[in-house]
Amino acid sequence: MKNYNVHRIEKNILQVSGLGDNPFWTKAEILTDFTSPWSDLEEEKMEFRSLWDTENIFFCYTVYDTNLHIDRKDDSVDSIGESDRVEIFFRTDETLNPYYCLEIDPTPRLMDFKASPAKKFDFDWNWPENHINVKSCTKKDCFVVEIAISIQSLTNFNLIKDNSIEAGIYRAKYKKQANNLFEPTWISWVNPNTETPNFHVASSFGNLTLL
């Protein structure tokens, strides 16, 4: 299983702003090992960083993309599903029963839901409101999404075991086709080795180790 090391920082020194420019992010390992196994297109660079303290784990996505597609057909979070976005899934174990999904577009709208095998999604479920904070910004050459999630909520959902969190890290990029429709390219940290795009399988997860 692929591994990413999450370094520990002092409590209360990192607050998410969505800018990705806090100097403490330099203490994080930079993950750029992403693949689109179902597409021959060369994708724009994406950087992922994570840090933690005794109260929260922090994530920062920097996606180098100057041609964003954001579906604004309505004001609901449902249209995130047709927009450029970053995603992170957490699972209790390889049975995926259950697992928890966070999908965030550049604005940032958050679509959070609980799932079980065979793509059974509970969209009425939400991550506890006081235990997650999401911020973003769009810059000249990229967009940034920062997330803070409480350690308490991860513990309550049985997602931290022996200082490890099993997670999938993904991105969806929508591109306009000749027929003027937008089609997604799916990008993942771990190649799930599926014939068609599918993040909702055990083989798409890696391990985050809290150091």
Side-chain angles (χ1 to χ4, degrees):
M1 181 181 287
K2 275 189 173 182
N3 183 74
Y4 173 87
N5 291 324
V6 184
H7 295 289
R8 183 172 172 176
I9 55 176
E10 295 179 20
K11 188 172 70 172
N12 296 327
I13 63 172
L14 178 58
Q15 303 294 327
V16 296
S17 65
L19 299 175
D21 60 356
N22 190 299
F24 287 104
W25 281 122
T26 62
K27 299 181 178 295
E29 295 185 9
I30 303 174
L31 180 66
T32 59
D33 183 19
F34 294 95
T35 183
S36 181
W38 310 282
S39 172
D40 294 329
L41 298 176
E42 183 176 350
E43 291 309 314
E44 301 91 345
K45 180 181 178 182
M46 181 172 84
E47 298 175 347
F48 172 88
R49 294 171 174 83
S50 184
L51 295 166
W52 74 290
D53 62 25
T54 54
E55 290 191 353
N56 295 284
I57 185 168
F58 305 93
F59 304 103
C60 180
Y61 295 77
T62 304
V63 180
Y64 292 89
D65 185 353
T66 59
N67 188 23
L68 298 182
H69 175 64
I70 300 173
D71 185 352
R72 300 184 185 276
K73 64 175 176 285
D74 58 51
D75 293 329
S76 75
V77 296
D78 294 338
S79 56
I80 292 176
E82 301 294 332
S83 297
D84 290 354
R85 62 188 183 275
V86 296
E87 305 180 4
I88 187 163
F89 295 176
F90 303 103
R91 71 183 191 187
T92 50
D93 55 46
E94 63 183 6
T95 67
L96 301 183
N97 195 22
Y99 62 107
Y100 303 88
C101 308
L102 306 175
E103 304 190 7
I104 304 157
D105 78 359
T107 61
R109 293 175 297 179
L110 167 65
M111 181 167 64
D112 48 354
F113 56 98
K114 184 178 180 180
S116 55
K119 295 186 177 182
K120 296 177 181 177
F121 303 147
D122 179 3
F123 290 106
D124 292 328
W125 182 92
N126 298 109
W127 202 278
E129 184 176 357
N130 294 329
H131 292 268
I132 187 169
N133 187 17
V134 178
K135 298 285 183 67
S136 73
C137 74
T138 300
K139 302 182 181 183
K140 182 178 180 181
D141 62 344
C142 67
F143 73 89
V144 177
V145 172
E146 291 185 339
I147 312 165
I149 297 175
S150 76
I151 296 296
Q152 185 60 58
S153 63
L154 290 166
T155 301
N156 290 346
F157 296 142
N158 197 30
L159 296 172
I160 303 179
K161 300 175 183 177
D162 298 324
N163 271 27
S164 292
I165 301 170
E166 295 182 7
I169 304 166
Y170 319 106
R171 177 187 170 212
K173 171 59 187 172
Y174 277 76
K175 294 186 177 181
K176 196 172 187 178
Q177 308 301 305
N179 59 6
N180 289 325
L181 297 178
F182 286 86
E183 296 294 339
T185 298
W186 302 100
I187 301 150
S188 178
W189 171 35
V190 178
N191 183 350
N193 293 305
T194 57
E195 184 175 345
T196 57
N198 190 358
F199 296 158
H200 298 270
V201 290
S203 56
S204 75
F205 285 71
N207 190 69
L208 308 181
T209 299
L210 307 182
L211 298 181

